[in-house]
Amino acid sequence: MKGSFPLESFSQLETPFYYYDTAILRETLAAITTHVRETRNYKVHYAIKANANPKLLRIISAYGLGADCVSGGEIQTALDAGFPSDSIVFAGVGKTDKEILLGLRNGISCFNVESIPELEVINELAMQLSTTARVAFRINPDVGAHTHANITTGLAENKFGIAMEDMDKVIDLVSRLTHVRFIGLHFHIGSQILDMADFVSLCNRINELQEHLSRRQIVVGNINVGGGLGVDYQHPDRKPIPDLSSYFSVFRNHLKLHAHQTLHFELGRAVVAQCGSLISRVTFVKQGAIKQFAILDAGFSDLIRPALYQAYHKIENISSEEAKQTYDVVGPICESSDVFQKASELNKAHRGDFIAIRSAGAYGEAMASCYNCRQLPASYLSDEIHV
Ligand SMILES: *Cc1c(COP(=O)(O)O)cnc(C)c1O
C-alpha cells in the first residue's frame, strides 16, 4: 500500500515539495463541522500556525471555521484567506503594540490575554482608538499533557498564560479598566495529545474555576479549551481522520457549561496533519562504514519536526516494490541533526526514487526555512496536480 500518489505527475516536478490530498482535508473538515453542528454552542477555530498555506486556508475558511492566530502576520493571513474578523481569536505571550492595533482596527473577536501588563497595554491602545477590546484570560491550568516536553504548554513552569492564583487579581483589574471587556476564559495545554484523560483533567480544572467564579457572581460567555488533539503518525492510511468523536465526547461529558456559554476549540494539527506529505527524491544511496544512507533532496529546512522534537513520520519509497532494506534517511544539510529517521525500513532505494514523508501537513511547510540558502519547498494540492 503506497497511498494514492500520482507518480506520473510528480515526475514533471522539481523536488522537494509538499503534496496536499484535499480529499482527506475535506473529509476531516466535514467530520469537524458535523460534530459542531450537533451542539450549536460549539465553535472551532483553525490554528493558523499549523499550516498557513493560502490554498489550504481558503478551503478551511469555506467550511465555516474561525481562525486562531498567534501573531499579527497570522491575523493578516487569516483575513486575506477569507476568515471573518469576528471569528478570529488572538493568543500569544508577547503581542506587540503593532499586532494589538491590527487586531483592534479589524475588530477581532477576542484577545486571549496572557499577563497583567498585556491587559493594561490593550486597554490603553483600545482607548487611543476609541474602541473596546474583548478579552479572555488565558489561564495556565497546571495540567500536564502526556506529550513531548517541548510541546506541553499548560504546566505551571511553562511561560504561557496567567497563573490560577492570579485569576482573581486580573478579574479585579479588568473591572477597573474602561476599554476592555472580559468575555471568557482560555486554556491550551499542549499538542499531539492522544490520551483523552488529559482533556478530562482540563475539563475538571475548568469546572473548579467556574465554580469559584460563580461564587463571585461571575459567569463568562466563552470558554475556550484550545487545541492539541493528536493524530496517528504511525498509521496515516489506516487512520487519516483524527478521533474527533472521542475528543468532542470528553467535553460533552465532562465540562459543565452554564446556559448560553459558547465553547471554543482551536484545532491545528488535527485538521491538516494527515492531508500532507513531503515528497522528495533520493539524491544518493551511500554505503557508510556501518550503515546505509538514503540521502534525500529534502532536509530539515523543509521539515524540522524530526530534528526539533525527535518526531516520527512514516517514510515510504513510493517508487520501489523491491524487498525492504534498512537505511538512515537523511537530508543534505550540514548538521548531524538533519536526519528524518534512523534504521528506516524502505523498499530498496535507488537514485531518483520518490520518497514520501507522511503526515507532514501540520508544522511542516509552516516551519520551513531557507537555512543553507536553500529554497523554500513548493506545494501542490491534489486538485491541481491530477491533470
Ligand atoms: C498552537 C496552538 C493551538 C493549536 O495546537 P494543535 O496542537 O496544533 O491543535 C491552539 N491554541 C493555541 C493558543 C496555540 O498556541
Side-chain angles (χ1 to χ4, degrees):
M1 177 66 190
K2 296 289 183 151
S4 48
F5 294 105
L7 280 181
E8 207 150 300
S9 309
F10 284 3
S11 64
Q12 314 296 314
L13 301 170
E14 250 185 69
T15 43
F17 59 84
Y18 276 91
Y19 173 71
Y20 297 109
D21 185 333
T22 51
I24 291 175
L25 176 61
R26 287 178 194 282
E27 211 181 312
T28 308
L29 289 164
I32 290 171
T33 43
T34 303
H35 281 285
V36 170
R37 220 177 293 124
E38 276 171 28
T39 320
R40 220 170 305 134
N41 61 335
Y42 282 14
K43 173 85 192 164
V44 176
H45 305 261
Y46 167 64
I48 302 281
K49 75 170 186 283
N51 191 322
N53 183 309
K55 292 180 280 192
L56 296 184
L57 293 185
R58 285 265 158 214
I59 296 175
I60 295 166
S61 67
Y63 275 78
L65 274 68
D68 165 43
C69 299
V70 293
S71 73
E74 287 192 357
I75 293 174
Q76 194 57 59
T77 300
L79 290 169
D80 293 346
F83 289 93
S85 59
D86 64 3
S87 79
I88 294 177
V89 294
F90 182 18
V93 291
K95 301 178 188 75
T96 64
D97 291 13
K98 192 175 160 194
E99 292 174 317
I100 292 167
L101 287 167
L102 179 73
L104 288 171
R105 289 203 176 97
N106 284 287
I108 62 167
S109 76
C110 192
F111 290 84
N112 292 329
V113 170
E114 307 211 14
S115 66
I116 287 176
E118 178 192 336
L119 180 65
E120 290 168 340
V121 168
I122 292 175
N123 181 62
E124 207 165 292
L125 294 174
M127 192 181 327
Q128 283 172 23
L129 296 186
S130 310
T131 185
T132 301
R134 286 171 293 277
V135 299
F137 295 131
R138 177 171 180 175
I139 305 297
N140 185 328
D142 199 15
V143 168
H146 296 92
T147 184
H148 191 275
N150 287 10
I151 51 177
T152 70
T153 54
L155 285 174
E157 69 194 44
N158 295 130
K159 70 178 175 181
F160 299 99
I162 294 166
M164 281 181 292
E165 311 81 84
D166 294 336
M167 186 174 77
D168 286 316
K169 203 160 60 178
V170 276
I171 291 173
D172 293 339
L173 172 63
V174 78
S175 63
R176 295 198 302 274
L177 298 177
T178 48
H179 289 73
V180 284
R181 190 154 60 86
F182 174 42
I183 63 160
L185 296 178
H186 175 238
F187 306 85
H188 174 64
I189 57 172
S191 200
Q192 183 54 17
I193 297 167
L194 290 168
D195 185 347
M196 293 301 126
D198 292 336
F199 293 118
V200 174
S201 306
L202 174 63
C203 290
N204 293 337
R205 184 52 57 82
I206 296 173
N207 292 339
E208 286 167 26
L209 292 171
Q210 290 237 78
E211 280 161 29
H212 172 82
L213 291 182
S214 294
R215 286 195 290 274
R216 293 190 55 187
Q217 323 295 333
I218 297 168
V219 178
V220 290
N222 300 279
I223 299 292
N224 184 330
V225 292
L229 175 62
V231 301
D232 190 340
Y233 282 97
Q234 313 285 331
H235 305 110
D237 292 313
R238 215 188 300 162
K239 289 215 198 137
I241 312 297
D243 190 359
L244 296 162
S245 301
S246 302
Y247 177 69
F248 285 111
S249 317
V250 165
F251 296 96
R252 204 162 283 137
N253 297 331
H254 295 273
L255 189 63
K256 295 180 198 149
L257 286 182
H258 295 286
H260 309 302
Q261 276 186 329
T262 302
L263 182 59
H264 300 259
F265 300 87
E266 301 170 335
L267 296 176
R269 186 189 312 272
V271 180
V272 289
Q274 297 292 33
C275 76
S277 295
L278 177 62
I279 306 295
S280 66
R281 284 184 175 93
V282 175
T283 306
F284 298 114
V285 176
K286 168 170 157 173
Q287 294 294 334
I290 50 168
K291 283 179 164 182
Q292 173 169 243
F293 296 93
I295 303 171
L296 309 187
D297 59 11
F300 75 45
S301 58
D302 306 295
L303 176 66
I304 202 171
R305 299 189 66 257
L308 190 59
Y309 311 123
Q310 293 75 52
Y312 172 86
H313 287 265
K314 188 172 182 187
I315 302 182
E316 295 172 316
N317 182 346
I318 55 176
S319 298
S320 167
E321 295 288 345
E322 288 175 62
K324 291 199 168 168
Q325 296 196 4
T326 307
Y327 303 88
D328 276 15
V329 181
V330 304
I333 292 172
C334 298
E335 301 271 348
S336 298
S337 61
D338 190 23
V339 176
F340 289 113
Q341 201 175 100
K342 290 190 170 164
S344 180
E345 297 288 316
L346 294 182
N347 294 96
K348 184 174 167 49
H350 318 82
R351 175 172 164 80
D353 283 356
F354 282 110
I355 302 293
I357 305 182
R358 306 292 307 276
S359 314
Y363 306 104
E365 190 180 357
M367 292 178 96
S369 75
C370 295
Y371 184 50
N372 280 195
C373 293
R374 291 166 56 80
Q375 284 183 351
L376 288 175
S379 68
Y380 303 97
L381 306 193
S382 49
D383 305 359
E384 322 174 292
I385 225 174
H386 285 290
V387 275

